[in-house]
Amino acid sequence: EVQLLESGGGLVQPGGSLGLSCAASGFTFNNYAMSWVRQAPGKGLEWVSAISHNGGTTYYADSVKGRFTISRDNSKNTLYLQMNSLRVEDMAVYYCAKHGARTVTTIGAFYIWGQGTMVTVSS
Amino acid sequence: SYELAQPLSVSVALGQTAIITCGGNNIGSKSVNWYQQKPGQAPVLVIYTDSSRPSGIPERFSGSNSGNTATLTIYRAQAGDEADYYCQVWDSNFYVFGTGTKVTVL
């Protein structure tokens, strides 16, 4: 069974840092691009960042560029999101999602989602 | 930045047809994906590349895309179809989601 399991969420003060992980299983992780998508409480979905199958290409939403870093360790079947200089507006459930191809493509869809991990930014 | 507009809510009688629109500038030139999200759950892909259904998604879900509007149609709506629905495209190195539509089955 294809599965994504996020971890690392929690409470952090504004300006602080937090690292999220997404453990993948049930598929050949290094064959697929991956993304992080977030959802603030009561709000819609917002794409955060994407990475190609080998980590060679990354993309970021303007709202997180320069503060967040996406990476992956294919030997550990794990996707990461390092979040620095966190703001109140970063508070959300963060989902990792599996693409349908190796690259981040114009027809890219998010085929499988994890259950999400909550990040709370508050003093 | 590219924007996708969806109606805030759509109501449909049990067994009838629900139509959810996703408006964007020349969206017909893009590939549109649709997600269903039930309360407290992660989103689920229901339509990809405008009109294709992933395995396990009922044939009652159908998608189309032309001009400035993409459409998700739910035929023979069931109580279990009550959820939020989001469209999504790729534009200029970003993935963009629509504003979301809450579907209520009466």
Side-chain angles (χ1 to χ4, degrees):
Chain A
E1 179 190 5
V2 175
Q3 198 167 11
L4 298 171
L5 185 62
E6 302 92 339
S7 61
L11 174 64
V12 61
Q13 292 186 340
S17 298
L18 202 61
L20 305 183
S21 299
C22 169
S25 61
F27 65 100
T28 305
F29 183 67
N30 62 13
N31 277 352
Y32 295 95
M34 298 289 295
S35 272
W36 288 97
V37 178
R38 69 184 180 183
Q39 186 170 35
K43 303 297 184 182
L45 300 173
E46 179 188 15
W47 171 76
V48 173
S49 183
I51 188 167
S52 62
H53 71 107
N54 61 1
T57 309
T58 57
Y59 299 84
Y60 297 93
D62 283 345
S63 57
V64 306
K65 193 173 296 184
R67 300 187 299 121
F68 289 13
T69 302
I70 191 172
S71 62
R72 63 191 296 160
D73 185 338
N74 286 342
S75 68
K76 296 182 178 179
N77 290 345
T78 303
L79 175 73
Y80 303 100
L81 185 69
Q82 178 62 37
M83 304 183 294
N84 299 329
S85 303
L86 281 161
R87 305 167 180 167
V88 171
E89 54 263 36
D90 294 319
M91 185 162 63
V93 173
Y94 283 73
Y95 297 99
C96 63
K98 170 185 172 291
H99 291 225
R102 291 186 165 210
T103 56
V104 179
T105 68
T106 59
I107 61 172
F110 309 117
Y111 285 79
I112 301 293
W113 298 63
Q115 282 306 301
T117 186
M118 181 69 201
V119 172
T120 301
V121 184
S122 174
S123 54
Chain B
S1 61
Y2 194 78
E3 295 183 351
L4 295 172
Q6 298 182 235
L8 197 59
S9 63
V10 166
S11 296
V12 57
L14 186 68
Q16 298 304 304
T17 300
I19 298 175
I20 305 160
T21 58
C22 174
N25 184 34
N26 198 27
I27 194 174
S29 67
K30 302 180 183 298
S31 179
V32 180
N33 309 303
W34 290 90
Y35 303 87
Q36 175 194 70
Q37 186 180 33
K38 297 181 179 180
Q41 297 184 19
V44 172
L45 179 68
V46 294
I47 293 288
Y48 65 96
T49 56
D50 295 341
S51 59
S52 297
R53 279 178 292 104
S55 61
I57 300 301
E59 292 182 6
R60 301 185 297 102
F61 288 83
S62 176
S64 62
N65 184 21
S66 179
N68 292 317
T69 305
T71 302
L72 173 68
T73 304
I74 307 174
Y75 297 99
R76 302 179 298 283
Q78 301 179 0
D81 298 333
E82 273 206 353
D84 294 327
Y85 290 84
Y86 296 90
C87 54
Q88 171 253 316
V89 300
W90 167 267
D91 180 79
S92 302
N93 289 345
F94 302 108
Y95 286 112
V96 180
F97 284 97
T99 50
T101 298
K102 180 176 182 60
V103 171
T104 300
V105 179
L106 305 173

